[in-house]
Amino acid sequence: MEKEMEYTDYAIEQIIQLCKTPSPSGFTKKATQYLEQELSKLGFKAEYSRKGSILATLGGEGNPLVLAAHVDTLGAMVRSIKPNGRIRFTKIGGYPENNIENENVIIHTRDGKEYTGTVYINGPAAHVYRDSGSSKRDDEHMEVVLDEIVKSKEDTLKLGIYPGDFITLDPRTIYTPSGFLKTRHLDDKASAGILLALAKAVSEDKLKLERKVSILFTTYEEVGHGAASGFPADTAEMISVDMGAVGDDLGTDEYTVSICAKDSGGPYDWDVTDTLIRLAKEHKLQYAVDIYPFYGSDVEGALRAGHDIKHGLIGPGVFASHGYERTHRQGIENTLKLLWEYLLLA
Ligand SMILES: [Zn+2]
C-alpha cells in the first residue's frame, strides 16, 4: 500500500487550503472555484449544478458510484445591527453558541468588502460583570464587535454592513509536527481533500477504476439538502465521505477511518457497509464501526429526495465536531486507503 501514502501528503495540503477558504452554506463560491481549478490541474472537468455543487467524473465503466463530500461549513449571518453599532447574528448550521465565543470573524458585505470582528458574550469584562461566566450563550446574549470605530447603528450601516451579510469564522488551521490537524471545518473539508487525492491517483494512472466513479462536492449539507440533487441519473450507489463522530461509547478516534452503520437517518445499506468493513479488516486498517447518535449525511438527503441508490458513510474521525475540530494524519490515511481499495472493486 506504499503508493497510497504519497497521496496522503497531497490530501493534507488540500485540506489545509480548503479549511482556509471561507465557505459557510450559501456562500461557497470561493471553495468551489478552488476545487474547479484543482480538478482542472488534474485533468478533470468540474460540472456545476444550478445550486452550486460540483461533480467530476473520474472515469471507469459500469455500476456507477458517486463519492460525496461537502465543502459548505458552519458560519453565521448578520441578523440585525444593534443601536450601539454591534451585530446580532443568526447561525448557519447547527452548533452550540459557546463553540464560537471569542472567535475572530470576517463580515462579507454584499458589495464585496470584508470587515473583521470578534464574537463576544454581551458584557464580557470579568472585572465588571459578575455573571459573565454563567450568562446564557445564544444569539440574544452574544454579539459581533467590529474592528471599526462604530458607536451607533448608523455608523455600521455606513460601512455597508446590512442584515443578510455572511459572517465567516477564523478556522485557526494548524498542522503539528506530530501529525495533528487542528482547525475549524474539517467537517467536511477533510473528506474533500481525500476525494481530490483519489482524483490525483486516477489522473496519474496509479489507481485503475473498475467501475464508473464520480466525485461530488456539495454546498448545502449543513442545512440538510446538499446531495438531494446534482449527480448523474444512472447513479447506482453513493457513499458520503464525511467526518466520523468521536466520543462517549464510540470506537472512532482521530486515527481511524470510521464506518457508520446507522445514524439519525437510520441504517446504511447492508452490502455497502459490509464490504467496507471486510476491506478494512483485510487490509489491516485502523477502523471502527459506529452508530452516530445525532448525525445526518448527504446521502440521506439524496434518499429523501427520492433517489433509488445504495448508500454508505465513512470518514476520518474528527474530535470536537462542529467546534474547533481535530483529526490526525493517520485518520486521513486510513480513510484514503479504504476508499482506494473500494474503488478497485467492480
Ligand atoms: Zn459533515
Side-chain angles (χ1 to χ4, degrees), residues 13 39 104 139 149 181 228 233 260 265 285 303 313:
E13 278 166 35
L39 285 164
N104 290 321
D139 67 275
I149 302 175
L181 188 49
C260 182
L285 303 179
L303 289 169
L313 168 61

Side-chain angles (χ1 to χ4, degrees), residues 70 187-188 221-222 242-243 295:
H70 66 92
D187 173 14
D188 183 27
E221 192 273 351
E222 293 294 356
D242 205 340
M243 55 133 230
Y295 196 110

Side-chain angles (χ1 to χ4, degrees), residues 17-39:
Q17 285 312 312
L18 283 166
C19 285
K20 288 180 173 174
T21 307
S23 60
S25 315
F27 190 68
T28 50
K29 281 184 184 163
K30 279 186 188 145
T32 49
Q33 278 162 9
Y34 178 84
L35 289 170
E36 185 185 4
Q37 278 169 22
E38 201 56 34
L39 285 164

Side-chain angles (χ1 to χ4, degrees), residues 288-303:
V289 180
D290 268 328
I291 283 87
Y292 308 157
F294 315 114
Y295 196 110
S297 71
D298 251 345
V299 70
E300 281 162 358
L303 289 169

